[in-house]
Amino acid sequence: MKRLRQLVLLTLAAVAVNACTAAGAFAGTFMIEDREEKIQSVTIAAVGDNLIHESIYKKAYDRKTDTYDFYHMYDPVRERISSYDIAVINQETVFVADRRQISSYPCFGTPCEIGDAIVNAGFDIVLGATNHTWGKGEYGVNTMLGYWRDHYPAITLLGIHESMEDYDAVDY
């Protein structure tokens, strides 16, 4: 029954994300009836698109330390996002570690530090498959996969995969 409940939650998250894509954001509470445990509720928020243009990454850049700090950009929503049981974000642009690959439209390359800010804001699930996923080719996809795997393995990255085995696995 626990596995079924987890699959239901994953399905509800997918529904929320579809609503997010259509409406820009979604938040809601879902009730799940379990014969063994009565009624439970799950709160879900889904937002998108986290589309990082040049004006955004330039504002986050600190010349003194040659680093990017996106944390403050999520301050207005951090408390609200963190209050949900499941929070999903559509990361529209791929991450790049090589500073020379940072770029805006049409071939977006976003500094990896955006991932730290996403996690700090309270997001649990990151959607990585967008029309900009291949903007930096294999390098961008591999950098994004590696970033989440190496820095935040507890965060669920959906939509891009390292292998067919990973693709076939159900994340919950």
Side-chain angles (χ1 to χ4, degrees), residues 55-142:
S55 60
I56 296 171
Y57 63 74
K58 280 189 170 184
K59 189 170 187 167
Y61 184 66
D62 182 340
R63 291 176 198 251
K64 293 177 187 174
T65 61
D66 190 32
T67 59
Y68 290 86
D69 181 355
F70 295 94
Y71 285 79
H72 68 282
M73 295 181 185
Y74 297 90
D75 284 345
V77 297
R78 180 175 292 105
E79 187 175 326
R80 179 126 190 226
I81 294 299
S82 296
S83 72
Y84 289 94
D85 296 318
I86 300 171
V88 183
I89 188 167
N90 183 44
Q91 179 54 45
E92 188 72 19
T93 55
V94 292
F95 297 172
V96 295
D98 180 347
R99 298 292 196 229
R100 296 169 299 178
Q101 293 289 328
I102 296 170
S103 59
S104 195
Y105 181 84
C107 297
F108 290 94
T110 299
C112 291
E113 290 90 340
I114 194 76
D116 300 327
I118 288 170
V119 172
N120 184 261
F123 290 100
D124 310 292
I125 299 173
V126 176
L127 306 178
T130 74
N131 57 310
H132 296 292
T133 300
W134 205 245
K136 293 296 178 181
E138 194 172 332
Y139 165 77
V141 172
N142 286 333

Side-chain angles (χ1 to χ4, degrees), residues 134-151:
W134 205 245
K136 293 296 178 181
E138 194 172 332
Y139 165 77
V141 172
N142 286 333
T143 300
M144 191 148 161
L145 286 165
Y147 174 83
W148 291 112
R149 179 191 63 240
D150 298 343
H151 296 279

